[in-house]
Amino acid sequence: MEKTSQITKKKRIHLGLLIFLILFHLVHLVLYEMVKTGLWPLSDMAVKTALGLVAAGLTVLCVLFLKYFIKRKWLFVLYILLFIVCIIFQLSALSLNIMEDRHTLPHKLLIWSVVISVIIFFSILFVTIRDIFTEKHDLTYALLGAANIFLSIIVTFSFIISLVLLCNPAFMPQAVTVNDINNVSFIIGSYSVAGVDFPYENVPQIIKNISTFESIIMHLYAVMIVGRLLSR
């Protein structure tokens, strides 16, 4: 009975995580683009609020996810500390101008916050893949987990691209704010998986290489999913 209750809770967490990952993508790829092009006349504060609310919800779901999937208490506490440090670093760089404020303390803290984000999402990916591919679950649970793996791969690589752009702002001179960098990174990360040409000129070769590696990982993931289904 207790095991059934745990599985039910994990399934709900998977569902919540999937919803917020979808919202995370929609806010970056649709809402931000609509505001930037004038299709939706929202203020910068409204956009930042929407981004913050979705990010906060995703953070809470990530914490709950790690709580139920990580058995070692000290490791979970470590992740909580990482979340706190990441949030503090990001808040310190809200008004950062990427081009003008390079090498300043807020810029360095922002870079470290992205590094922490990569670590956290990579950990979620690792835990989810281990859970889905080594344990037997019902179809709904397996599909939710598989969808979260798919979207988490995009988020992880988008953060990696963001890290490269933050360290080298000249690669994308049109991206001058933190939101601009995030938007560009998610567009490149998502377009790579979708097989769509980037809407930017002169994309650096290193970014193309990272996105190509992301595409290879996605194809490998598809092969693994097929193999898992055939082995059931």
Side-chain angles (χ1 to χ4, degrees):
M1 186 68 181
E2 184 178 352
K3 185 177 180 180
T4 303
S5 176
Q6 286 285 330
I7 292 175
T8 301
K9 289 179 181 178
K10 287 182 178 180
K11 188 183 294 186
R12 290 174 180 172
I13 293 172
H14 266 302
L15 177 60
L17 188 60
L18 177 61
I19 291 172
F20 272 89
L21 281 171
I22 292 173
L23 288 174
F24 199 55
H25 282 75
L26 286 175
V27 168
H28 279 288
L29 298 177
V30 180
L31 175 62
Y32 191 81
E33 194 67 25
M34 289 177 68
V35 173
K36 189 172 69 173
T37 56
L39 294 176
W40 194 353
L42 287 179
S43 64
D44 289 340
M45 182 57 66
V47 175
K48 288 181 179 179
T49 301
L51 289 168
L53 289 174
V54 174
L58 185 58
T59 300
V60 171
L61 265 299
C62 288
V63 170
L64 291 174
F65 181 90
L66 293 171
K67 177 183 178 182
Y68 281 97
F69 284 87
I70 292 182
K71 297 179 180 179
R72 295 181 178 87
K73 186 177 180 180
W74 68 268
L75 187 57
F76 174 68
V77 173
L78 177 60
Y79 278 112
I80 293 297
L81 292 175
L82 286 176
F83 273 113
I84 294 173
V85 171
C86 182
I87 292 171
I88 293 174
F89 284 2
Q90 288 180 351
L91 290 176
S92 68
L94 285 178
S95 59
L96 186 72
N97 184 303
I98 303 300
M99 299 297 293
E100 296 179 0
D101 300 328
R102 189 183 180 189
H103 300 312
T104 61
L105 180 59
H107 182 250
K108 294 177 181 178
L109 294 180
L110 180 61
I111 289 174
W112 277 109
S113 73
V114 177
V115 171
I116 294 172
S117 298
V118 172
I119 294 172
I120 290 172
F121 268 95
F122 184 81
S123 300
I124 290 175
L125 265 175
F126 175 80
V127 172
T128 309
I129 290 173
R130 186 180 62 181
D131 179 56
I132 295 300
F133 286 93
T134 62
E135 303 289 339
K136 290 185 178 181
H137 300 290
D138 61 69
L139 183 60
T140 303
Y141 186 107
L143 288 175
L144 288 172
N148 282 331
I149 292 171
F150 183 87
L151 293 179
S152 294
I153 291 175
I154 297 176
V155 173
T156 303
F157 274 93
S158 295
F159 277 127
I160 293 173
I161 293 170
S162 177
L163 181 61
V164 174
L165 294 180
L166 282 172
C167 293
N168 303 274
F171 283 170
M172 286 288 174
Q174 68 269 35
V176 295
T177 67
V178 177
N179 286 336
D180 288 340
I181 287 286
N182 290 336
N183 187 49
V184 168
S185 301
F186 273 88
I187 286 176
I188 292 176
S190 300
Y191 278 34
S192 174
V193 173
V196 180
D197 293 335
F198 302 143
Y200 309 110
E201 295 182 359
N202 303 320
V203 176
Q205 189 61 42
I206 182 61
I207 301 298
K208 291 180 180 179
N209 292 347
I210 292 173
S211 61
T212 299
F213 184 66
E214 177 189 7
S215 182
I216 293 171
I217 292 296
M218 280 300 192
H219 283 84
L220 178 60
Y221 172 64
V223 172
M224 291 172 62
I225 286 292
V226 172
R228 175 61 173 160
L229 292 174
L230 291 177
S231 66
R232 290 179 67 89

